[in-house]
Amino acid sequence: MKIATWNVNSIGVRLEAVLDWLRDNPVTVLGLQETKTPDGTFPRAAFEAAGWQVCCTGQKSYNGMALVSREPLTDILTDLPGVAGDQKRFLTATCNGVRVVNLYVPNGSSIGSDKYVYKLAWLEALASHLRAILPRFPRLVVMGDFNIAPEDRDVHDPAAWEGHIHVSPPERAAFRNLLNLPLADCFRAVDPEPGRYSWWDYRQGSFRRNIGLRIDHVLASPALMERLRGCVIDKQPRGRERPSDHAPVMAEFDL
DNA sequence: ATGGCGCGCGCAGCGCGA
């Protein structure tokens, strides 16, 4: 079973890129973030015509989530318990016996801002929810755009990023709090090297120069980690014309 | 260090992202 996550930065602009990627990477389920469109304008028919099932929770212009799957998606939940408001940043469903939680963690803007406070509160609510469901769902995947680079090896220039969003100690503590549930970072279970990124700024030729951050993650529960076969960041789509600034991250389990 | 980039919205240029 292959499970993947991808922040597509608008499904309207990226539809062909996503369909092409799914043709080349026939995963069981793909979680999308930043679809940026309400459910009524999500290109559901294009996915269904290619043999995919879709569930989505979107809004105009900002945020927006989807799960695209070969297998039925059941027990769908579109709101993170404990978080008020209408930001569409959470979508979870059960697929092939695995509870799949798809996330778009708030960016946080800058350290100390209202959005930063919201980000940390959101991560607290997430940890509470996951702690509550882990006994019921021993096979649990938590994936998405976390907007956190967990360690310095996930940052091209840690000194330049010090004091900035994505790397602050409270954000990293919130990430470790998720690992302590316990969940494991699938990519780091198979590749410990620095220089492995999932996001590169559109500016300054950052992708060509591999100046980026590893902020998109697939976390898995112990029962799944026993079965982890591999995890890769696929840089190929980032090299296309009009790419998303994020790369897909894909994990494979013996299921 | 931050402007460059790219998105939506909507028709100019701004808010936002990371």
Side-chain angles (χ1 to χ4, degrees):
Chain A
M1 182 180 185
K2 290 181 177 175
I3 303 180
T5 174
W6 194 3
N7 180 325
V8 292
N9 189 13
S10 170
I11 191 59
V13 173
R14 228 66 69 194
L15 177 60
E16 290 308 313
V18 175
L19 291 172
D20 286 350
W21 189 84
L22 285 170
R23 191 189 57 232
D24 296 341
N25 299 273
V27 296
T28 307
V29 58
L30 169 65
L32 303 177
Q33 305 92 40
E34 284 209 87
T35 54
K36 296 189 175 182
T37 196
D39 297 347
T41 49
F42 189 94
R44 169 182 296 275
F47 286 99
E48 290 175 348
W52 297 93
Q53 303 183 39
V54 173
C55 85
C56 58
T57 179
Q59 65 187 103
K60 200 173 181 178
S61 305
Y62 302 108
N63 311 316
M65 313 296 292
L67 287 166
V68 177
S69 176
R70 287 288 188 204
E71 303 286 337
L73 298 165
T74 59
D75 299 305
I76 296 162
L77 183 65
T78 59
D79 290 289
L80 174 57
V83 173
D86 52 8
Q87 297 186 32
K88 301 304 185 185
R89 297 181 174 276
F90 180 90
L91 178 60
T92 182
T94 300
C95 178
N96 196 30
V98 175
R99 190 62 172 170
V100 177
V101 178
N102 183 24
L103 309 174
Y104 177 43
V105 177
N107 172 293
S109 187
S110 60
I111 294 172
S113 66
D114 289 348
K115 290 178 179 177
Y116 181 77
V117 173
Y118 180 78
K119 179 179 193 173
L120 294 178
W122 199 96
L123 288 162
E124 277 290 327
L126 174 65
S128 295
H129 174 66
L130 297 177
R131 192 175 296 112
I133 68 168
L134 252 171
R136 260 188 298 145
F137 297 109
R139 292 183 176 182
L140 174 65
V141 162
V142 181
M143 65 180 181
D145 177 356
F146 284 70
N147 273 316
I148 300 170
E151 301 177 27
D152 279 355
R153 62 179 164 163
D154 303 311
V155 180
H156 79 273
D157 186 348
W161 275 90
E162 194 167 349
H164 290 266
I165 202 72
H166 309 301
V167 304
S168 72
E171 290 168 88
R172 287 177 165 179
F175 188 85
R176 286 195 303 274
N177 193 35
L178 301 177
L179 298 185
N180 288 337
L181 286 173
L183 297 169
D185 182 334
C186 291
F187 184 79
R188 281 313 187 200
V190 302
D191 188 339
E193 293 300 313
R196 310 298 200 216
Y197 307 130
S198 67
W199 171 85
W200 303 260
D201 199 300
Y202 284 118
R203 297 168 288 191
Q204 298 177 282
S206 296
F207 179 65
R208 176 177 52 79
R209 299 156 65 199
N210 198 32
I211 293 173
L213 303 173
R214 194 178 70 93
I215 55 177
D216 301 270
H217 309 297
V218 179
L219 311 184
S221 59
L224 285 179
M225 290 306 288
E226 288 178 12
R227 296 166 178 270
L228 180 69
R229 183 181 279 186
C231 184
V232 294
I233 301 170
D234 185 2
K235 294 172 72 170
Q236 190 273 332
R238 186 62 176 78
R240 286 173 60 121
E241 291 292 315
R242 290 230 288 173
S244 168
D245 43 357
H246 294 254
V249 185
M250 172 168 54
E252 183 174 8
F253 302 93
D254 286 313
L255 288 176

